[in-house]
Amino acid sequence: MDEAIRVESLKKYYGKFAAVDDISFNVQSGEIFGILGPNGAGKTTTLEILEGLHSPNDGSVTVLNLDVLKHPKEIKSRIGVQLQSSAYYDYLNLLEILTLLASFYPPNVRANPTEILRKVDLENKSRQRVNTLSGGEKQRFTIAASLINNPELLILDEPTTGLDPRSRRNIWQLIEGINQSGITVVLTTHYMDEAEALCRRIAIMDNGHLIAVDTPANLRASLEYQHAVKLTVETPLTEAQIVSLNNLDADIETKSENTYAIKLKGGTASLDLLLKSIVADNVKFQNLEITPVTLEDVFLDLTGNELQEAP
Amino acid sequence: MIQLTLHNLKIMARNRHSTFWALFFPLLLVVVFGLFQVGNFGGADVNVVNNSTNEASKEFIAQISSNNFFEVSQVDSIETALTRLNNGETEYVLTIPSEFNYNMDGTLSLQYTDQDPQQNEITLLMLSNLLNQSNAEFSSRNLIQTIELKKPETTYFDTVLLGLVGLGIMTNSIISIAVKISNYRNQSILKRMLVTPLPIWKFFASEIAAHLILAIIQAIIILGLGILLFGASIRGNPASLLFIILMGSIVFLNIGFIMSAWTNSPSAASGMGNAIALPMIFFSGTFFSVTTLPWIMPVVSQVLPLTPMLSALRDIGLNGYPIWSVWQDIAALAAWIVVTSIIAIKVFRFS
C-alpha cells in the first residue's frame, strides 16, 4: 500500500525543550490515522512539521512521497490543513473566504466553493460571516476550507475540541465521509472515544515521545487484562474474600474503604468466575461496573498517567 | 494576488467603523482649520506695528483693543507683520507713524489683501468710526491711508492642508496596518495563509497595495474638501504629489508592520502606533514651522520620515516646483523605505 506520510526519527526542539523527541511512524494512503495524547504531548508540533510550518531539527519527513524540506510548495498545494484555532477574516462571508482561499492554489486543483459548502451542509449560510456560526458550524467550515484544493491528504488538528456531543458526532460523520471519498486523513485528538470511533490506526504520544502505534483493537489487546471492574461494597471485604478474589486471574487495588478496582485477565470466561466468586463469598455489593478496556486504560498502562483529567 | 488585494479592499469597506474613523480624524482637522481661516465673521484680526512711543499711540491701541470687533496683537516690525499677512495668519496690518498724535499730523496706514473686499470695507469703516469718536474735531479729515495687497499666493490653510494629508496618511498607515496584522496573528489567519502555497510576499504586497489605494482615496478626500469647501489653492503636478504620497505611505506601512511585530495585541499595537505618530505630527511641522522650535528639535525634526514627505508635498503643492527639485526629500524617503523594509522583514512574526 502507498504511504501518505513517512516520519523517521523526527526531532524538534524549542531551545532545550524537546517538543518532539525521536518519533517514527507512517500513514498509509486511504486510512484515518489518529495521534492521541494529552495537551502538550507534541501532537500539534508534529502536524505543523508535516504542514511545513516548522522545519525538523533532525530526522526525515516525507508527505505524499515528497520531502517536506525540499518540496514545501507542492506539498502545500496537495494537502488540506485545518489548524487548531484558526479564525477567518471577520468581514468576508463564507463563500468569499473560500473563493479567496481557492485563489491561492493552482487552478487545476481548485474546488468549487459552493460545492464544498454543500458537502459540509453550510450551503444555506454561504452569505453569512464566520462569527455568526455556531461552534459546530465553525468547525465544519474550517474543514470545508481545508478541502478547497481537493487535497489527497487532510490534516485535522483537534477537529472536535470544545464541541458538544451532537456536533462531535456530526463532525465524525463528516470526516468518515471525506475519508470514504478517497482522502487520507490524519487527525489529533485527546478524546479516546474519538480515536476509537474514527481511526483505523492510532499513534499514542506523551511528552514528545511516541509510545505505541497500532489499530485500536490491537492496542487494547496488548494490555494484560481485558476488563476493568469497579466493585463497591457495603462493608469492606474480609481477608478471606480478597484472597478468594485473588484466586481469579486478577489484580485487586483498594481505591477507598469500600471500593475496589479489579483488573480482570482471561477474557470473558473470567467474568463468569468473578460473578460466581462474589456470590459464593457472600459479598454484599452496592455497585458493580464491568467495562471492557478502553484506550484510556491503554494510555494509563503505557504512561502511568491519565489521558484526561477527571471530569 | 489581485484577488487578495480586492478582498482586502472589501474588508476595509466593510470594516466601516475603523475605516471611517481613520479618515475622519484628519477631515475633522481640515474642517477646524478651514473654519478657523474664514471664521472671523464680523471681526478683524489686526496686527499693529507701533512706530511711535507716545501716550497718544498707546491710548489709541488700547481703544481699538477694547473694541470687540478687533482682535489686536502688536508686532515689532512691519516685515514680520507683512509675512504674517501673507501667510494668512492675520488679516490686517495697521502701522502707526512715529509722529502720531491727536492732531493727526501723520497718517495711519492699513494694509490688507483683496481676499475679502466686503470685510475690508467694514473694517475700514469701523476704524474710521473709532478715530472719529476719539477726536471729533478731525472727523472730516481722511486719516487712513489704505494699501490693498494682492491675495497671497499661499495661505496658512494651504500649508496646513498639505500637512494634514501627511498626518492622515501617516496615522492611518501605521495604526491600521499594525492593528490589522496584530489581529491576523492573534486569530491565526497568518498561520492559515502559511499552510497554503501562496508565496508570502504576495500576501504582504496585496496588503500594501490595498492600503496604498486607501491612502490615495484619503488624500483625494482631504485635498478635495480643503479645495472645494474652504478654497485652498494647491498647485503642482498631481502625479508628483501622488508619487510623494505613495512613498510616504510605504514608509509608514512598514513602520506599522514593525509595530505589529513588537506588540502582542491589537490594542498594544494601536497604542504604540499612536505613540510614534503623535510626536511626529508636531516635530515634522504639520501645523507650524519647526525652525522656530527650541534646542535640538529642528535637528530631530530632520531625521523623522514625515518631515521630507511634508517638505516635498509643500514644495510641489504650494510652490509648484517640479518633482526633481525635491530630490533630497525623495532620497530621504527612499532611504526610509529601505531601512524600514529591512527591519520589518527581520522582526516580522507569524505567530
Side-chain angles (χ1 to χ4, degrees), chain B residues 81-132:
Chain B
L82 289 178
T83 310
R84 287 175 56 91
L85 182 66
N86 199 45
N87 289 343
E89 288 168 71
T90 189
E91 295 167 303
Y92 299 92
V93 174
L94 181 68
T95 315
I96 301 175
S98 57
E99 65 273 26
F100 180 85
N101 57 41
Y102 285 113
N103 296 327
M104 291 294 164
D105 290 332
T107 330
L108 290 165
S109 143
L110 184 69
Q111 304 189 48
Y112 47 83
T113 70
D114 58 358
Q115 193 163 0
D116 190 347
Q118 246 182 325
Q119 201 197 0
N120 291 347
E121 255 173 63
I122 299 169
T123 307
L124 201 55
L125 195 67
M126 290 292 290
L127 206 56
S128 310
N129 281 346
L130 270 180
L131 279 169
N132 291 346

Side-chain angles (χ1 to χ4, degrees), chain B residues 150-312:
Chain B
K150 275 262 152 256
K151 188 173 150 187
E153 288 272 298
T154 58
T155 63
Y156 175 61
F157 180 67
D158 296 343
T159 311
V160 167
L161 187 64
L162 287 171
L164 292 176
V165 169
L167 175 151
I169 283 167
M170 174 182 68
T171 47
N172 203 11
S173 300
I174 293 181
I175 294 166
S176 70
I177 206 85
V179 170
K180 189 175 182 186
I181 298 296
S182 187
N183 252 324
Y184 283 2
R185 186 169 44 232
N186 277 7
Q187 300 175 346
S188 296
I189 289 179
L190 289 179
K191 213 175 182 184
R192 187 66 185 77
M193 295 284 150
L194 282 179
V195 297
T196 73
L198 177 81
I200 205 64
W201 69 264
K202 284 192 180 175
F203 171 76
F204 290 111
S206 65
E207 285 294 341
I208 290 172
H211 276 87
L212 290 184
I213 291 171
L214 190 72
I216 295 169
I217 294 171
Q218 195 181 8
I220 291 172
I221 293 175
I222 293 174
L223 289 175
L225 189 76
I227 292 168
L228 298 178
L229 212 59
F230 299 111
S233 68
I234 301 296
R235 281 158 286 269
N237 186 344
S240 307
L241 287 175
L242 183 67
F243 180 73
I244 301 297
I245 285 169
L246 292 182
M247 282 193 92
S249 191
I250 292 172
V251 174
F252 297 125
L253 287 174
N254 280 345
I255 292 176
F257 280 115
I258 297 169
M259 298 295 107
S260 78
W262 283 351
T263 52
N264 284 325
S265 73
S267 54
S270 163
M272 200 190 235
N274 270 312
I276 294 268
L278 284 177
M280 209 145 35
I281 290 172
F282 293 102
F283 291 133
S284 291
T286 307
F287 301 118
F288 49 83
S289 170
V290 284
T291 48
T292 59
L293 286 177
W295 201 42
I296 57 162
M297 294 308 180
V299 183
V300 172
S301 159
Q302 284 312 306
V303 299
L304 297 173
L306 185 59
T307 310
M309 181 183 180
L310 293 187
S311 154

